[in-house]
Amino acid sequence: MLFQVGGQGTRPTFFEMAAAQQLPSSLRAALTYSLGVLALRRPFIHKILDYEDECFALLTLVLETHSLRTTDGSFAESLYGLRRRAVKIKVKGDNKGPDAREEINHTGLKKRQKVLSVVFLVILPYLRSKLHSIYNKEREAALQASLWGTDDERFGDTDYFDGSGNSIVSTSSSDTEESVRDRLRKKIRKIVAACYPWIHAGNEGLSFAYQLLYLLDATGFYSLGLHALGIHVCRATGQELMDTSSRISKIRSRERERLRGPPWLKAVQSALLSCAYGVLDYAQTGLIAAVFFFKMMEWWYQSAEERMSAPTVYPPPPPPPPPKKVAKEGIPLPTDRTLCPLCSQKRANPSVVAVSGLVFCYSCVFRYVSQYKRCPVTLMPATVDHIRRLFHDV
């Protein structure tokens, strides 16, 4: 079986399509890296990074709309000399006979296909990114709940006693009423967390199937979205590439002719349109330069020797020595080392205070350290950041 690797005909190779598909993700990585570097000197840029999905979706919306309008191809496809064509399949001969043949005719894109192409190129990736973010947050919350328990379990009504039976800490949790909006938001997040893995797996499976069939020359559609829209991606001819610039100039001159108003207003509007077109042209060139610069820097800081060399394995450091003495006003240690010094019960979710190395129940030591800012036994200064979960019992 022969794979299509050459560049003959109007059908793009698999590698051209894969490169065009990966360009938006590389562009986003380059922009995020550049903004992150600039944010070190200009802190207000962090506000843009907080809305990274929305800003990138707005940028791609402008680029994809302009590219589809002028070149009949997406932004990435136009850079690789590719164009989108509507597919019309005609069957010659007997429809049910073995001699039936399919004739594929390519025509220009209709307005509906251009609008739906923008939806598949901009809206759906944005929604997928937001769903992925929600899923990651819910997965982290579920993992924390499985390790540390829920807030009600961690901060419920609990009394701590020292060895003499005197109460050290006595707190009571207040019941908080959640609004209807918060409960609805939590239900939606749980539904997304349950359904997203299946949706993602199905989407990745279909994408892999279409790409494999395209590589084997069994279909002309590279993805499910192109199949749903009835669009083939074709390699542009030399004449089409030459006509692109004239087509763009005609569109821009037609838009200038639509301007209405007095002469001075037309002049202002025409100047603004010229500035907008210039910004679009420079933005396309600058974005591609940013992608290549990002890839070059990534290669520069990750040499072949670093990729091939195995990491150096050092011996683990020795464990810290046990505390030499217990504070006089501190809680005495029980004789049974499996008991928690605070509640005098068998430790649940054993956790260690890093400053002293002593082990307690997580809920006990968390509430004690939160209130007194010290280790219960040694009275050494500590915060909740010094509490570490131990997994020797897992």
Side-chain angles (χ1 to χ4, degrees), residues 174-190:
S174 60
D175 298 332
T176 59
E177 297 181 357
E178 295 179 343
S179 63
V180 178
R181 182 181 302 177
D182 294 337
R183 284 181 289 180
L184 181 61
R185 186 183 296 110
K186 288 184 178 180
K187 289 183 180 180
I188 293 176
R189 288 180 177 178
K190 290 182 179 179

PDB file of all heavy atoms in Angstrom, residues 174-190:
ATOM      1  N   SER A 174     -20.409  26.975  61.187  1.00  0.00           N
ATOM      2  CA  SER A 174     -21.713  27.575  60.871  1.00  0.00           C
ATOM      3  C   SER A 174     -22.176  27.094  59.519  1.00  0.00           C
ATOM      4  O   SER A 174     -21.383  26.969  58.581  1.00  0.00           O
ATOM      5  CB  SER A 174     -21.608  29.104  60.867  1.00  0.00           C
ATOM      6  OG  SER A 174     -20.674  29.506  59.896  1.00  0.00           O
ATOM      7  N   ASP A 175     -23.445  26.781  59.432  1.00  0.00           N
ATOM      8  CA  ASP A 175     -24.027  26.307  58.177  1.00  0.00           C
ATOM      9  C   ASP A 175     -24.230  27.479  57.237  1.00  0.00           C
ATOM     10  O   ASP A 175     -24.844  28.489  57.595  1.00  0.00           O
ATOM     11  CB  ASP A 175     -25.370  25.618  58.428  1.00  0.00           C
ATOM     12  CG  ASP A 175     -25.228  24.400  59.312  1.00  0.00           C
ATOM     13  OD1 ASP A 175     -24.126  23.812  59.279  1.00  0.00           O
ATOM     14  OD2 ASP A 175     -26.185  24.056  60.024  1.00  0.00           O
ATOM     15  N   THR A 176     -23.708  27.328  56.036  1.00  0.00           N
ATOM     16  CA  THR A 176     -23.849  28.371  55.024  1.00  0.00           C
ATOM     17  C   THR A 176     -24.842  27.921  53.976  1.00  0.00           C
ATOM     18  O   THR A 176     -24.817  26.769  53.512  1.00  0.00           O
ATOM     19  CB  THR A 176     -22.493  28.649  54.357  1.00  0.00           C
ATOM     20  OG1 THR A 176     -22.019  27.437  53.769  1.00  0.00           O
ATOM     21  CG2 THR A 176     -21.478  29.148  55.370  1.00  0.00           C
ATOM     22  N   GLU A 177     -25.724  28.817  53.623  1.00  0.00           N
ATOM     23  CA  GLU A 177     -26.740  28.506  52.626  1.00  0.00           C
ATOM     24  C   GLU A 177     -26.232  28.922  51.257  1.00  0.00           C
ATOM     25  O   GLU A 177     -25.871  30.075  51.035  1.00  0.00           O
ATOM     26  CB  GLU A 177     -28.038  29.240  52.951  1.00  0.00           C
ATOM     27  CG  GLU A 177     -28.671  28.822  54.269  1.00  0.00           C
ATOM     28  CD  GLU A 177     -29.958  29.568  54.524  1.00  0.00           C
ATOM     29  OE1 GLU A 177     -30.301  30.436  53.696  1.00  0.00           O
ATOM     30  OE2 GLU A 177     -30.609  29.270  55.525  1.00  0.00           O
ATOM     31  N   GLU A 178     -26.216  27.986  50.353  1.00  0.00           N
ATOM     32  CA  GLU A 178     -25.771  28.266  48.997  1.00  0.00           C
ATOM     33  C   GLU A 178     -26.941  28.800  48.180  1.00  0.00           C
ATOM     34  O   GLU A 178     -28.075  28.372  48.312  1.00  0.00           O
ATOM     35  CB  GLU A 178     -25.223  26.995  48.339  1.00  0.00           C
ATOM     36  CG  GLU A 178     -23.986  26.457  49.002  1.00  0.00           C
ATOM     37  CD  GLU A 178     -23.500  25.191  48.318  1.00  0.00           C
ATOM     38  OE1 GLU A 178     -24.303  24.603  47.568  1.00  0.00           O
ATOM     39  OE2 GLU A 178     -22.356  24.828  48.550  1.00  0.00           O
ATOM     40  N   SER A 179     -26.631  29.714  47.354  1.00  0.00           N
ATOM     41  CA  SER A 179     -27.653  30.267  46.481  1.00  0.00           C
ATOM     42  C   SER A 179     -28.004  29.272  45.382  1.00  0.00           C
ATOM     43  O   SER A 179     -27.273  28.312  45.124  1.00  0.00           O
ATOM     44  CB  SER A 179     -27.180  31.580  45.867  1.00  0.00           C
ATOM     45  OG  SER A 179     -26.050  31.355  45.059  1.00  0.00           O
ATOM     46  N   VAL A 180     -29.101  29.527  44.739  1.00  0.00           N
ATOM     47  CA  VAL A 180     -29.527  28.643  43.655  1.00  0.00           C
ATOM     48  C   VAL A 180     -28.532  28.686  42.501  1.00  0.00           C
ATOM     49  O   VAL A 180     -28.251  27.659  41.872  1.00  0.00           O
ATOM     50  CB  VAL A 180     -30.936  29.063  43.175  1.00  0.00           C
ATOM     51  CG1 VAL A 180     -31.397  28.191  42.010  1.00  0.00           C
ATOM     52  CG2 VAL A 180     -31.934  28.972  44.317  1.00  0.00           C
ATOM     53  N   ARG A 181     -27.972  29.841  42.251  1.00  0.00           N
ATOM     54  CA  ARG A 181     -26.997  29.969  41.164  1.00  0.00           C
ATOM     55  C   ARG A 181     -25.749  29.148  41.440  1.00  0.00           C
ATOM     56  O   ARG A 181     -25.222  28.486  40.531  1.00  0.00           O
ATOM     57  CB  ARG A 181     -26.632  31.438  40.978  1.00  0.00           C
ATOM     58  CG  ARG A 181     -25.665  31.699  39.836  1.00  0.00           C
ATOM     59  CD  ARG A 181     -25.341  33.175  39.733  1.00  0.00           C
ATOM     60  NE  ARG A 181     -26.530  33.986  39.532  1.00  0.00           N
ATOM     61  CZ  ARG A 181     -26.528  35.312  39.469  1.00  0.00           C
ATOM     62  NH1 ARG A 181     -25.368  35.972  39.620  1.00  0.00           N
ATOM     63  NH2 ARG A 181     -27.641  35.981  39.282  1.00  0.00           N
ATOM     64  N   ASP A 182     -25.280  29.156  42.683  1.00  0.00           N
ATOM     65  CA  ASP A 182     -24.084  28.383  43.006  1.00  0.00           C
ATOM     66  C   ASP A 182     -24.340  26.887  42.887  1.00  0.00           C
ATOM     67  O   ASP A 182     -23.502  26.140  42.373  1.00  0.00           O
ATOM     68  CB  ASP A 182     -23.599  28.715  44.417  1.00  0.00           C
ATOM     69  CG  ASP A 182     -23.111  30.146  44.537  1.00  0.00           C
ATOM     70  OD1 ASP A 182     -22.735  30.711  43.490  1.00  0.00           O
ATOM     71  OD2 ASP A 182     -23.131  30.706  45.653  1.00  0.00           O
ATOM     72  N   ARG A 183     -25.504  26.447  43.351  1.00  0.00           N
ATOM     73  CA  ARG A 183     -25.818  25.023  43.245  1.00  0.00           C
ATOM     74  C   ARG A 183     -25.965  24.599  41.793  1.00  0.00           C
ATOM     75  O   ARG A 183     -25.539  23.506  41.404  1.00  0.00           O
ATOM     76  CB  ARG A 183     -27.086  24.710  44.030  1.00  0.00           C
ATOM     77  CG  ARG A 183     -26.869  24.660  45.541  1.00  0.00           C
ATOM     78  CD  ARG A 183     -28.146  24.331  46.276  1.00  0.00           C
ATOM     79  NE  ARG A 183     -29.084  25.460  46.230  1.00  0.00           N
ATOM     80  CZ  ARG A 183     -30.283  25.436  46.805  1.00  0.00           C
ATOM     81  NH1 ARG A 183     -30.690  24.363  47.450  1.00  0.00           N
ATOM     82  NH2 ARG A 183     -31.071  26.497  46.740  1.00  0.00           N
ATOM     83  N   LEU A 184     -26.585  25.453  40.968  1.00  0.00           N
ATOM     84  CA  LEU A 184     -26.716  25.137  39.550  1.00  0.00           C
ATOM     85  C   LEU A 184     -25.357  25.091  38.874  1.00  0.00           C
ATOM     86  O   LEU A 184     -25.088  24.214  38.029  1.00  0.00           O
ATOM     87  CB  LEU A 184     -27.610  26.175  38.868  1.00  0.00           C
ATOM     88  CG  LEU A 184     -27.865  25.979  37.370  1.00  0.00           C
ATOM     89  CD1 LEU A 184     -28.557  24.650  37.126  1.00  0.00           C
ATOM     90  CD2 LEU A 184     -28.699  27.128  36.821  1.00  0.00           C
ATOM     91  N   ARG A 185     -24.459  26.013  39.258  1.00  0.00           N
ATOM     92  CA  ARG A 185     -23.120  26.014  38.687  1.00  0.00           C
ATOM     93  C   ARG A 185     -22.365  24.738  39.062  1.00  0.00           C
ATOM     94  O   ARG A 185     -21.653  24.161  38.233  1.00  0.00           O
ATOM     95  CB  ARG A 185     -22.360  27.246  39.168  1.00  0.00           C
ATOM     96  CG  ARG A 185     -21.005  27.407  38.497  1.00  0.00           C
ATOM     97  CD  ARG A 185     -20.230  28.597  39.052  1.00  0.00           C
ATOM     98  NE  ARG A 185     -20.892  29.857  38.778  1.00  0.00           N
ATOM     99  CZ  ARG A 185     -21.475  30.623  39.701  1.00  0.00           C
ATOM    100  NH1 ARG A 185     -21.456  30.234  40.986  1.00  0.00           N
ATOM    101  NH2 ARG A 185     -22.052  31.753  39.376  1.00  0.00           N
ATOM    102  N   LYS A 186     -22.513  24.301  40.299  1.00  0.00           N
ATOM    103  CA  LYS A 186     -21.840  23.075  40.720  1.00  0.00           C
ATOM    104  C   LYS A 186     -22.380  21.858  39.981  1.00  0.00           C
ATOM    105  O   LYS A 186     -21.617  20.957  39.585  1.00  0.00           O
ATOM    106  CB  LYS A 186     -21.996  22.878  42.226  1.00  0.00           C
ATOM    107  CG  LYS A 186     -21.160  23.847  43.060  1.00  0.00           C
ATOM    108  CD  LYS A 186     -21.285  23.534  44.534  1.00  0.00           C
ATOM    109  CE  LYS A 186     -20.404  24.474  45.372  1.00  0.00           C
ATOM    110  NZ  LYS A 186     -20.518  24.163  46.817  1.00  0.00           N
ATOM    111  N   LYS A 187     -23.697  21.816  39.755  1.00  0.00           N
ATOM    112  CA  LYS A 187     -24.274  20.690  39.014  1.00  0.00           C
ATOM    113  C   LYS A 187     -23.770  20.665  37.582  1.00  0.00           C
ATOM    114  O   LYS A 187     -23.451  19.600  37.041  1.00  0.00           O
ATOM    115  CB  LYS A 187     -25.799  20.790  39.043  1.00  0.00           C
ATOM    116  CG  LYS A 187     -26.420  20.491  40.403  1.00  0.00           C
ATOM    117  CD  LYS A 187     -27.936  20.547  40.341  1.00  0.00           C
ATOM    118  CE  LYS A 187     -28.546  20.236  41.703  1.00  0.00           C
ATOM    119  NZ  LYS A 187     -30.040  20.300  41.657  1.00  0.00           N
ATOM    120  N   ILE A 188     -23.692  21.848  36.968  1.00  0.00           N
ATOM    121  CA  ILE A 188     -23.201  21.906  35.588  1.00  0.00           C
ATOM    122  C   ILE A 188     -21.742  21.445  35.526  1.00  0.00           C
ATOM    123  O   ILE A 188     -21.346  20.705  34.612  1.00  0.00           O
ATOM    124  CB  ILE A 188     -23.354  23.337  35.031  1.00  0.00           C
ATOM    125  CG1 ILE A 188     -24.839  23.691  34.897  1.00  0.00           C
ATOM    126  CG2 ILE A 188     -22.650  23.465  33.683  1.00  0.00           C
ATOM    127  CD1 ILE A 188     -25.086  25.107  34.449  1.00  0.00           C
ATOM    128  N   ARG A 189     -20.944  21.849  36.508  1.00  0.00           N
ATOM    129  CA  ARG A 189     -19.541  21.433  36.512  1.00  0.00           C
ATOM    130  C   ARG A 189     -19.409  19.931  36.703  1.00  0.00           C
ATOM    131  O   ARG A 189     -18.543  19.295  36.092  1.00  0.00           O
ATOM    132  CB  ARG A 189     -18.788  22.181  37.611  1.00  0.00           C
ATOM    133  CG  ARG A 189     -18.563  23.660  37.305  1.00  0.00           C
ATOM    134  CD  ARG A 189     -17.817  24.337  38.435  1.00  0.00           C
ATOM    135  NE  ARG A 189     -17.534  25.735  38.114  1.00  0.00           N
ATOM    136  CZ  ARG A 189     -16.924  26.578  38.928  1.00  0.00           C
ATOM    137  NH1 ARG A 189     -16.529  26.159  40.130  1.00  0.00           N
ATOM    138  NH2 ARG A 189     -16.707  27.831  38.561  1.00  0.00           N
ATOM    139  N   LYS A 190     -20.251  19.361  37.536  1.00  0.00           N
ATOM    140  CA  LYS A 190     -20.200  17.910  37.734  1.00  0.00           C
ATOM    141  C   LYS A 190     -20.611  17.173  36.467  1.00  0.00           C
ATOM    142  O   LYS A 190     -20.035  16.131  36.122  1.00  0.00           O
ATOM    143  CB  LYS A 190     -21.103  17.516  38.903  1.00  0.00           C
ATOM    144  CG  LYS A 190     -20.578  17.954  40.262  1.00  0.00           C
ATOM    145  CD  LYS A 190     -21.496  17.495  41.382  1.00  0.00           C
ATOM    146  CE  LYS A 190     -20.938  17.915  42.752  1.00  0.00           C
ATOM    147  NZ  LYS A 190     -21.843  17.488  43.855  1.00  0.00           N
TER     148      LYS A 190
END
